[in-house]
Amino acid sequence: MNYRHIYHAGNFADVLKHAVLARLIRYMQKKDAAFRVLDTHAGIGLYDLSSEEAQKTGEWSEGIGKLLDTELAPQVAELLEPYLSAVRELNAEGGIRLYPGSPKLARMLFRSQDRLSAMELHPEDFARLHRLFEGDHQVRITKLNGWLSLGAHLPPKEKRGIVLVDPPFEEDGEYERLADGLAKAYRRFPGGTYCLWYPLKKGAPIKEFHEALQALDIPKILCAELIVRSDRGINGLTGSGLIIVNPPFTLKDELHALLPALKDHLAQDRYASHRAFWLRGETKAAKDD
């Protein structure tokens, strides 16, 4: 309950997560039918990067702060356009002070028929999130442990949806919990697109986590990872990963364009790297670049 995303808002991990979330939303919108985004660990929705908390870590300056006004290759700029345009819209006067969390970003990209269900358990964060979307008929805010929503809120009535699971990873066993949560959710909503975030840091059980996902009865699981620095002498976050279940057929190729650019622009030392590969389906051979 003491995790607060304001310290990390807009960092390199948010850039990867939100860039991919925006791509998933745009893909869903290729069809006229409505869809729902379920955000299981929503936070406060909108972050002030000039706040004392954000300034204390300055993590955003190594993430969105490096990317927003950078000249990008045409293909990369096109792929990042939905995400970066939303950030620019919030900072119309220039610079960057406000940063959208996942629920705010999703809502900014919605059409009139699309819907958001956002879960937040922290009392103060829930209250702020509720105020942010008060009166918005396309958004439902619920004070609930996000893990429970993987059962109680699936499948969505729209029968189409993106499920974003972005836990704080403050407790032991969160990688196992993430795999178990996916298994539970998939049984209820096998047609959904799932996007699961996880941290990369020294000693993290990534191999075991990937093996647990491979053991699930899920046909297509895509993995994307971005590492921005070496883990030598560092106990904190060195990279982040995304698990995408039922990904759009275009996403793998998009990641092979996006990840090298993100690595180049967000690298914090010469050990930065990236990869996108199938854990299940298509081909399991990893492609490290």
Side-chain angles (χ1 to χ4, degrees), residues 12 200-202 226-231 234 236-240:
F12 71 87
L200 297 173
K201 54 186 178 179
K202 191 171 185 177
L226 175 66
I227 295 173
V228 298
R229 60 181 177 174
S230 168
D231 63 4
I234 296 175
L237 196 67
T238 59
S240 71

Side-chain angles (χ1 to χ4, degrees), residues 121-218:
L121 184 61
H122 190 289
E124 294 177 21
D125 289 358
F126 166 77
R128 293 183 65 176
L129 186 67
H130 189 272
R131 287 196 299 271
L132 180 65
F133 292 109
E134 191 169 6
D136 189 334
H137 72 279
Q138 291 182 244
V139 179
R140 177 180 298 174
I141 307 299
T142 304
K143 186 178 180 182
L144 182 70
N145 183 324
W147 296 110
L148 298 179
S149 67
L150 295 175
H153 289 258
L154 293 176
K157 65 179 183 180
E158 293 83 3
K159 307 303 180 185
R160 301 179 68 227
I162 299 167
V163 180
L164 177 66
V165 187
D166 177 21
F169 278 85
E170 282 196 312
E171 300 177 5
D172 292 338
E174 289 285 67
Y175 292 92
E176 295 87 345
R177 200 175 188 183
L178 193 56
D180 292 343
L182 174 60
K184 177 181 180 180
Y186 187 83
R187 287 194 295 269
R188 295 183 62 89
F189 186 35
T193 295
Y194 295 82
C195 185
L196 285 60
W197 181 88
Y198 60 96
L200 297 173
K201 54 186 178 179
K202 191 171 185 177
I206 303 303
K207 181 176 182 291
E208 294 80 3
F209 174 54
H210 286 174
E211 289 174 347
L213 294 173
Q214 288 172 329
L216 300 178
D217 188 21
I218 297 176

Side-chain angles (χ1 to χ4, degrees), residues 5-6 9 14 42-49 97-102:
H5 192 66
I6 183 59
D14 264 3
I44 64 175
L46 185 63
Y47 298 90
D48 183 352
L49 300 183
R97 185 178 69 85
L98 296 177
Y99 185 81
S102 302

Side-chain angles (χ1 to χ4, degrees), residues 186 190 213 216-222 245-247 278-282 284:
Y186 187 83
L213 294 173
L216 300 178
D217 188 21
I218 297 176
K220 287 190 177 184
I221 305 178
L222 181 63
V245 171
N246 295 330
W278 292 100
L279 278 172
R280 290 201 59 171
E282 300 294 335
K284 295 178 184 177

Side-chain angles (χ1 to χ4, degrees), residues 22-35 78-79 82 109 111 113-114 160 162 248-251 254:
R23 299 308 309 157
L24 296 177
I25 289 172
R26 283 292 182 250
Y27 186 84
M28 282 279 181
Q29 292 171 339
K30 289 182 178 294
K31 294 184 178 180
D32 291 335
F35 66 91
E78 181 179 359
L79 292 172
L109 297 177
R111 306 163 300 178
Q113 64 266 45
D114 304 327
R160 301 179 68 227
I162 299 167
F249 75 96
T250 57
L251 187 61
E254 292 181 356

